[in-house]
Amino acid sequence: MLAGFMEALLCCLTSKSTNVVVPIETSENTDGYEFVEVKPGRVLRVRHVMAERSSVEQPTGQGGCVSCKRRISVFCNGQLFIENLGDKAGAELKTCQNGDTEPNSTVEVELTDCENSSPPVRIPDPKLDSVTGKVITSEMKAAGDTLPSQQTEASRNQHRRKLKRTVVIDCERKITACKGTHPDVAVFFIHGVGGSLDIWRSQLDFFSRLGYEVIAPDLAGHGSSSAPLIPAAYTFYALAEDMRLVFKRYARKRNILIGHSYGVSFCTFLAHEYPEQIHKVVMINGGGPTALEPSLFSVFNLPSCVLDCLSPLLSWSFLKAGFAHQGAKEKRLLKENNAFNVSAFVLRSMMSGQYWPEGDEVYHAELTVPILLVHGIHDKFVPLEEDQRMAEILLIGFLKVLEEGSHMVMMECPEAVNTLLHEFFLWEPASPLPPKSKARPETAKAQSDNSKAVPNSAKVRPATALQASLNSMAEVKLDKGDKR
């Protein structure tokens, strides 16, 4: 504590941040690490492992072709109306708000950034009265309500539900299995605030052993990347541009993005920028599909020197909220994986720079890539309801809740996370079988209905094709040596 106080005092006197991280070197690949200069003087450490493949297997080309058709209507009162218009071939990948699957389904949600907006309701078809010329809804007509004052109120409500804009998505997407023996597959790992690429150590070792090419960068100011001394270097757009340049440098034909916490936003950004190259996305404790905006009332708005004094308390708070258990193992994981070990200046700049108004519900609803959401049930940073909302918004979104983990679930339960991710990499939608010619119409219809049925679950929301794959996989528990 005394050392922290002296560093904070030095920070106040010199007006500079302590504990500035600089790159170890800027040379060639050393032990799987590279240092990439994304901009002059802005160097990022990147873990890049090109696995040695004994036999390279070419992609077979098999898989499922998904019809991504949906219409997204945004109303002036903040209401979001989503209509899934896919055909029967891709019906199993269209999930409604209530968990049902239908070829033509609708999802109505409400934007979180709108105030004083009415609850989501189905928009009635307006009709004009032939005498007064005023708007009369079907509900008003059925009730016989024609009072002028109530007609005026109905007109006002109709005005508040005025259509603001409409987004139409109409494309075909081919989804195939991604194996480590496929030379056109690369897997990217992006950490969040306060982390480093070392938090993915278990995942990087696991997938590189399976033959995958893995890439994991350190964000600016984190790990061994350079740490500029200007707050503008840590805004969302500055960091997203870094990730875009890293992606362009290492991208293959088919790429998988895996993000944790704040890193999920950069995965979403890349999936929007390169929809043809991003094959699958994994979001680990990323939260809801809301636009980013820095909080005005946050401890991270305090001066950097004050945050330096509070650094032991902040580290303890992160350990308390980020892990389901707070024992010697968790403290060792934090220390070994260099997590939450950044300067107060970088931490303050990162939190105040989280401004991304484009990343709202509509932005996420436009994604056509299959997305797996992983949530640690004990997470105190991200509520489960936020990931459930994300699963409702996404076109092809699957939610899996792990009972043993918290916010740092990939460090707490590496075996379970690795197995779940690998199952998702290998998943591909099954092509629909043609109906038998001798089957009676009633039988064929019953078989079709059974094939589209999805078991209801409060904690898992995958589509039918992935449901069978995930259910067949046994829940991976911690080893006896890991139990406390």
Side-chain angles (χ1 to χ4, degrees), residues 443-457:
T443 306
K445 185 174 184 298
Q447 293 175 351
S448 176
D449 293 338
N450 292 334
S451 65
K452 293 186 292 183
V454 178
N456 293 328
S457 175

Side-chain angles (χ1 to χ4, degrees), residues 191-324:
H191 67 83
V193 178
S196 71
L197 65 85
D198 297 317
I199 68 172
W200 303 109
R201 183 173 300 173
S202 298
Q203 287 71 43
L204 295 176
D205 294 341
F206 177 82
F207 286 105
S208 61
R209 288 197 302 267
L210 291 178
Y212 287 92
E213 179 180 358
V214 296
I215 303 98
D218 274 333
L219 297 179
H222 295 67
S224 295
S225 293
S226 60
L229 293 177
I230 54 175
Y234 304 98
T235 63
F236 171 83
Y237 295 105
L239 298 172
E241 180 65 15
D242 291 347
M243 296 300 100
R244 188 180 69 85
L245 295 175
V246 170
F247 177 80
K248 289 181 63 178
R249 178 185 179 96
Y250 297 100
R252 297 292 183 179
K253 184 178 180 181
R254 295 186 298 165
N255 302 277
I256 302 174
L257 304 180
I258 303 174
H260 171 251
S261 192
Y262 192 28
V264 167
S265 299
F266 303 121
C267 293
T268 305
F269 171 81
L270 293 175
H272 241 278
E273 290 289 307
Y274 305 99
E276 299 301 325
Q277 292 180 264
I278 306 301
H279 202 65
K280 294 176 181 178
V281 175
V282 179
M283 299 180 176
I284 302 178
N285 293 327
T290 56
L292 296 180
E293 185 174 352
S295 176
L296 299 178
F297 305 98
S298 173
V299 66
F300 299 105
N301 291 332
L302 296 173
S304 299
C305 55
V306 179
L307 290 179
D308 274 323
C309 295
L310 298 177
S311 58
L313 179 60
L314 294 177
S315 299
W316 178 83
S317 300
F318 179 80
L319 176 66
K320 191 76 173 177
F323 290 88

Side-chain angles (χ1 to χ4, degrees), residues 388-463:
Q388 289 175 336
R389 181 181 180 85
M390 179 72 85
E392 294 173 356
I393 291 292
L394 296 173
L395 175 63
I396 312 176
F398 316 127
L399 174 60
K400 175 65 178 180
V401 178
L402 296 181
E403 300 286 350
E404 299 294 331
S406 182
H407 192 67
M408 307 299 290
V409 64
M410 64 282 186
M411 296 169 60
E412 297 174 290
C413 313
E415 296 89 356
V417 172
N418 294 342
T419 305
L420 183 61
L421 266 57
H422 192 215
E423 289 285 337
F424 182 61
F425 293 176
L426 300 180
W427 168 77
E428 59 183 13
S431 301
L433 298 176
K436 296 181 180 180
S437 58
K438 295 183 179 180
R440 293 183 298 176
E442 295 80 2
T443 306
K445 185 174 184 298
Q447 293 175 351
S448 176
D449 293 338
N450 292 334
S451 65
K452 293 186 292 183
V454 178
N456 293 328
S457 175
K459 297 182 179 179
V460 184
R461 291 181 53 84

